[in-house]
Amino acid sequence: NAPEKEVKTHFLRDKILGLIFLTLTLILVLFPIHLPSPKYTQKSPIVINENLLKANKLENNPVRILIPKADVDLSIINAPVIDGFWETSETNASYGLGSGQPGTKSNTVIFAHARQGLFYNLKDVKLNDTIYVFTKNKWYKYKVNKVTAVFPNDVTVIQPTKNETLTLYTCTGFNDEKRLIVSAIPQS
């Protein structure tokens, strides 16, 4: 009788544990735990050089970007800063007005949504890949030197730089919680 009693005890224990897990699962499904979303304390996270904004000639702004290995070929429109953020186009790549222009010692920032037909394939870009940026009168060749992901409040990646830099920016991660950053330097 001892083995039968032991089997019944194990069966009863397993049944109780199963009911506890089922109850906990139902509670979590019906009453999900909401994690606090990150708070952004900066009112105007985009730091631009106002002199660049006033002095730039529009014909030197980027108008097209081509990344052959990622199958990206997009028109670029100018994106003004509105309430501290660059306006993002729904249909094109955007050039952050006030960031550097191609061919200058500064940070040229181009961004787009991570959607098919926009910067979705940016996730496929690798170190040393080639990127072409076209202005109205000239084209520039860049080599990818860094691919990283940052949280949206890390705006250091789009700050002005002392050397010519191209920064591409799009959303990534679960629920677009991070920003995929592709940095590139001029290539002759």
Side-chain angles (χ1 to χ4, degrees):
N1 280 347
E4 276 184 33
K5 191 175 183 180
E6 195 174 308
V7 168
K8 284 183 184 180
T9 305
H10 285 298
F11 178 74
L12 185 59
R13 183 193 69 202
D14 291 347
K15 202 172 195 178
I16 291 172
L17 282 175
L19 286 173
I20 290 171
F21 284 126
L22 180 63
T23 305
L24 288 174
T25 303
L26 284 173
I27 290 171
L28 287 174
V29 168
L30 296 175
F31 307 101
I33 298 171
H34 293 287
L35 299 174
S37 57
K39 303 279 187 260
Y40 303 113
T41 55
Q42 291 177 308
K43 217 171 173 80
S44 182
I46 304 301
V47 177
I48 60 170
N49 181 337
E50 292 293 336
N51 294 330
L52 285 176
L53 195 56
K54 294 173 190 166
N56 280 350
K57 296 179 182 174
L58 291 178
E59 64 263 14
N60 294 334
N61 288 355
V63 295
R64 182 174 167 216
I65 184 166
L66 177 65
I67 311 171
K69 287 195 177 175
D71 195 28
V72 171
D73 185 358
L74 292 170
S75 311
I76 301 172
I77 63 168
N78 293 329
V81 175
I82 298 176
D83 295 328
F85 297 91
W86 277 312
E87 189 174 45
T88 305
S89 170
E90 297 295 321
T91 56
N92 298 294
S94 301
Y95 161 66
L97 284 174
S99 72
Q101 291 178 316
T104 64
K105 290 188 177 188
S106 193
N107 191 5
T108 303
V109 181
I110 300 172
F111 51 96
H113 288 293
R115 295 186 194 140
Q116 200 71 312
L118 292 173
F119 269 3
Y120 178 77
N121 290 349
L122 199 61
K123 64 185 176 13
D124 300 327
V125 170
K126 307 279 187 262
L127 290 178
N128 299 315
D129 281 359
T130 300
I131 300 171
Y132 299 94
V133 174
F134 300 83
T135 65
K136 208 172 183 181
N137 302 314
K138 196 171 177 185
W139 61 275
Y140 299 86
K141 186 177 181 181
Y142 294 90
K143 178 175 77 170
V144 174
N145 67 333
K146 187 176 182 184
V147 178
T148 188
V150 300
F151 286 102
N153 60 343
D154 182 357
V155 294
T156 58
V157 294
I158 55 174
Q159 303 276 336
T161 56
K162 292 179 181 177
N163 297 313
E164 183 178 356
T165 305
L166 172 66
T167 300
L168 307 181
Y169 192 93
T170 195
C171 294
T172 192
F174 177 74
N175 204 24
D176 291 340
E177 69 189 12
K178 288 190 171 185
R179 301 298 174 258
L180 176 64
I181 308 297
V182 173
S183 298
I185 54 175
Q187 184 180 19
S188 35

